[in-house]
Amino acid sequence: MNRTALVLMNTGLSVSLSIILYYGAFQGVPKSMDEAATLDGAPAFRTFADVILPAVNPMTGTVIILNAMKLWNDYLLPSLVVNKNGMYTLPLKMYMFFGETNSEWELALAGLVLSMVPIIILFLLLQKQIMSSVTEGAIK
C-alpha cells in the first residue's frame, strides 16, 4: 500500500508490452546490417548502439507514447494500491470532484483538460517517429 508497490506493478505491466513490441521490431532489422558491422570490426555493444538501435528508433517512440499514456491515465491500479491522501494520481484526484450530493463539472473538466496537456506535448514531440513506424510496414 505505498508508492514503491505502485511503481513495481506499473513497471512489470509496462515491460511486458515493451518486450513484445521490441521483439517484433528487432526481427524486422536485416541480419546483413549486423554482419556488416561485425565485418567492419565493431564490437557487439557498438553494433547494437550504432546500427541496430537507430533502426528500431520508430518503435522506441511508439513504446514511449504507449507506456506514457497507460501510466498517465491509469485509474484502477492506483485506486487499489494508494491509500494516502498526498499520493493520489491525477485520475484519482479528478474523481474527487464528484460526490454523493454534488458534482463540480467545471472544475473536473478544467482539470481533465490540464491533465491532457503533457501527453499531447509528448505526442507532438514523438510524432515523426510514430508516423515513420506506421508507414514503414506499408512500403514493404
Side-chain angles (χ1 to χ4, degrees):
M1 296 298 191
N2 57 18
R3 189 174 304 185
T4 306
L6 182 63
V7 168
L8 289 175
M9 287 183 206
N10 277 325
T11 302
L13 294 172
S14 298
V15 165
S16 60
L17 174 67
S18 301
I19 288 173
I20 291 170
L21 290 174
Y22 273 123
Y23 179 76
F26 287 135
Q27 291 296 320
V29 175
K31 185 74 172 160
S32 60
M33 291 175 67
D34 186 22
E35 292 169 351
T38 304
L39 287 175
D40 287 342
F45 181 75
R46 188 72 156 182
T47 301
F48 179 75
D50 291 343
V51 177
I52 306 297
L53 203 55
V56 296
N57 202 16
M59 185 54 69
T60 302
T62 303
V63 165
I64 289 171
I65 285 290
L66 288 176
N67 285 329
M69 284 180 53
K70 179 199 163 300
L71 294 174
W72 193 258
N73 295 326
D74 192 15
Y75 177 80
L76 179 64
L77 190 59
S79 69
L80 295 173
V81 175
V82 175
N83 60 358
K84 294 180 184 171
N85 192 14
M87 295 174 50
Y88 288 145
T89 60
L90 280 174
L92 291 177
K93 284 289 192 181
M94 292 297 120
Y95 184 70
M96 291 185 182
F97 287 123
F98 302 100
E100 283 186 34
T101 58
N102 64 345
S103 297
E104 299 178 20
W105 283 99
E106 60 278 353
L107 295 176
L109 292 176
L112 289 172
V113 169
L114 288 176
S115 70
M116 287 189 310
V117 170
I119 293 296
I120 291 172
I121 291 172
L122 184 64
F123 175 77
L124 292 175
L125 291 174
L126 297 174
Q127 184 178 8
K128 187 172 102 177
Q129 283 86 9
I130 293 170
M131 290 301 139
S132 65
S133 71
V134 169
T135 57
E136 184 178 311
I139 295 174
K140 291 180 184 178

